[in-house]
Amino acid sequence: MTGADTTATERPVTVREAGQRARGLGLVEVVTRRELLATLVERQARLRVKRTLFGIVWPVVSPMFLLALYLFVFGSVFDVKIHDYGVYLLVGLLPWTFLVQSVHDSLQSISFEPDLVRRAPFPLHFLPMARVAVMTVPFLGLLVASILYLGVVHDRGIAWSTLPIIVLPGASLLLLVTSISMLLALLDVFNRDFRYVLNNLLTVWFFLVPIVYHRKMVNGPVRTITTADPMRWIIDQFRMVLYDGHVDSYLAPLLTLAACAALFVVSLQVFRRLAVDLAKEV
């Protein structure tokens, strides 16, 4: 190989080339380049294990801490009149804490990888996706443990025949969380100030979604807002399966899944359009 050939082969990818290559990659690459995505997931999992033991157990401890806190405040102090309030609260907190933890973990997934973004031509949306995938593991473990626990302590028990339906809101949740994580990771590159207000926005969203209270307690314009919230639909569907023990119709879970899938596609397209500028912004 000549010196000219060696120089051409080893020439670093320019910012513009990296951006153009990233922009040309979209939904199909999630499947065709799944090995690369799996490698990024494995890399992120190793980093989480290497950095701190507390980072491993926190995704499991955090929902239990919030459950104890809100059960005391709303169950004992304010005495919310909801049957089996501990179970009602647990089922609502499971998907919500998965969303919050994934968003926080994914927010700076691109900003913290400037060298990787500038030099490696790969689908940049894989970075927040990998963070969400890693957070899915403790969520699934906690969900399985909660189902077994509810099968013993919940006075309505678990309707095992309807339990497989939880796959639908589970898939909707994963699509919604991935979409939000991609968009916020993108926003963080262009505006680093957003990370400082994220907690406040999530707190407002938390109290708009009927997690610690029943949705029938909401009236007026707020009820209209919460009705249009896909997270409210997802939590309602988790509760139908795990708390109520029955599903009146498959239509709502299927529509929610379709809406979240559409949001994922739109989010991915937005990401691809702006990916050309990411390499020079990080």
Side-chain angles (χ1 to χ4, degrees), residues 78-157:
F78 292 103
D79 193 20
V80 175
K81 301 299 183 183
I82 294 179
H83 175 74
D84 213 344
Y85 184 62
V87 174
Y88 181 88
L89 189 57
L90 171 63
V91 177
L93 283 174
L94 285 175
W96 176 258
T97 51
F98 171 62
L99 181 146
V100 171
Q101 292 170 353
S102 298
V103 166
H104 275 294
D105 203 50
S106 304
L107 180 64
Q108 301 177 52
S109 57
I110 300 174
S111 301
F112 275 7
E113 302 280 5
D115 293 335
L116 186 62
V117 170
R118 288 170 183 156
R119 293 182 177 274
F122 70 99
L124 298 181
H125 53 273
F126 278 12
L127 290 174
M129 280 184 177
R131 300 288 187 104
V132 173
V134 171
M135 297 306 301
T136 302
V137 176
F139 167 71
L140 291 177
L142 192 57
L143 178 61
V144 170
S146 298
I147 290 172
L148 296 176
Y149 173 74
L150 295 178
V152 176
V153 304
H154 189 21
D155 57 2
R156 298 175 183 173

Side-chain angles (χ1 to χ4, degrees), residues 11-231:
R11 179 178 63 84
V13 178
T14 66
V15 168
R16 182 172 181 81
E17 288 172 339
Q20 288 174 340
R21 293 184 191 183
R23 185 176 180 178
L25 299 170
L27 187 61
V28 175
E29 280 66 29
V30 175
V31 177
T32 59
R33 304 190 67 176
R34 58 187 178 274
E35 294 85 2
L36 173 59
L37 179 59
T39 300
L40 290 173
V41 172
E42 181 183 359
R43 171 179 175 267
Q44 183 58 37
R46 286 202 311 269
L47 288 174
R48 177 172 286 273
V49 172
K50 182 178 179 180
R51 287 172 181 169
T52 170
L53 177 62
F54 193 63
I56 303 172
V57 300
W58 181 247
V60 177
V61 173
S62 176
M64 297 299 99
F65 172 77
L66 291 176
L67 175 63
L69 175 63
Y70 291 126
L71 187 58
F72 170 73
V73 173
F74 293 96
S76 300
V77 177
F78 292 103
D79 193 20
V80 175
K81 301 299 183 183
I82 294 179
H83 175 74
D84 213 344
Y85 184 62
V87 174
Y88 181 88
L89 189 57
L90 171 63
V91 177
L93 283 174
L94 285 175
W96 176 258
T97 51
F98 171 62
L99 181 146
V100 171
Q101 292 170 353
S102 298
V103 166
H104 275 294
D105 203 50
S106 304
L107 180 64
Q108 301 177 52
S109 57
I110 300 174
S111 301
F112 275 7
E113 302 280 5
D115 293 335
L116 186 62
V117 170
R118 288 170 183 156
R119 293 182 177 274
F122 70 99
L124 298 181
H125 53 273
F126 278 12
L127 290 174
M129 280 184 177
R131 300 288 187 104
V132 173
V134 171
M135 297 306 301
T136 302
V137 176
F139 167 71
L140 291 177
L142 192 57
L143 178 61
V144 170
S146 298
I147 290 172
L148 296 176
Y149 173 74
L150 295 178
V152 176
V153 304
H154 189 21
D155 57 2
R156 298 175 183 173
I158 292 290
W160 300 104
S161 60
T162 62
L163 187 60
I165 300 172
I166 205 170
V167 172
L168 294 178
S172 300
L173 177 65
L174 182 60
L175 289 169
L176 177 64
V177 169
T178 305
S179 302
I180 295 172
S181 297
M182 286 194 301
L183 293 178
L184 292 186
L186 184 68
L187 178 60
D188 183 72
V189 173
F190 295 103
N191 187 350
R192 306 297 170 87
D193 292 333
F194 182 77
R195 63 185 66 166
Y196 300 109
V197 300
L198 178 61
N199 278 333
N200 292 331
L201 294 177
L202 288 173
T203 300
V204 172
W205 192 9
F206 174 80
F207 285 105
L208 286 176
V209 180
I211 296 175
V212 298
Y213 57 88
H214 199 280
R215 64 178 181 271
K216 293 181 180 179
M217 298 171 65
V218 182
N219 296 305
V222 176
R223 186 169 188 172
T224 303
I225 295 173
T226 58
T227 302
D229 184 354
M231 195 61 189

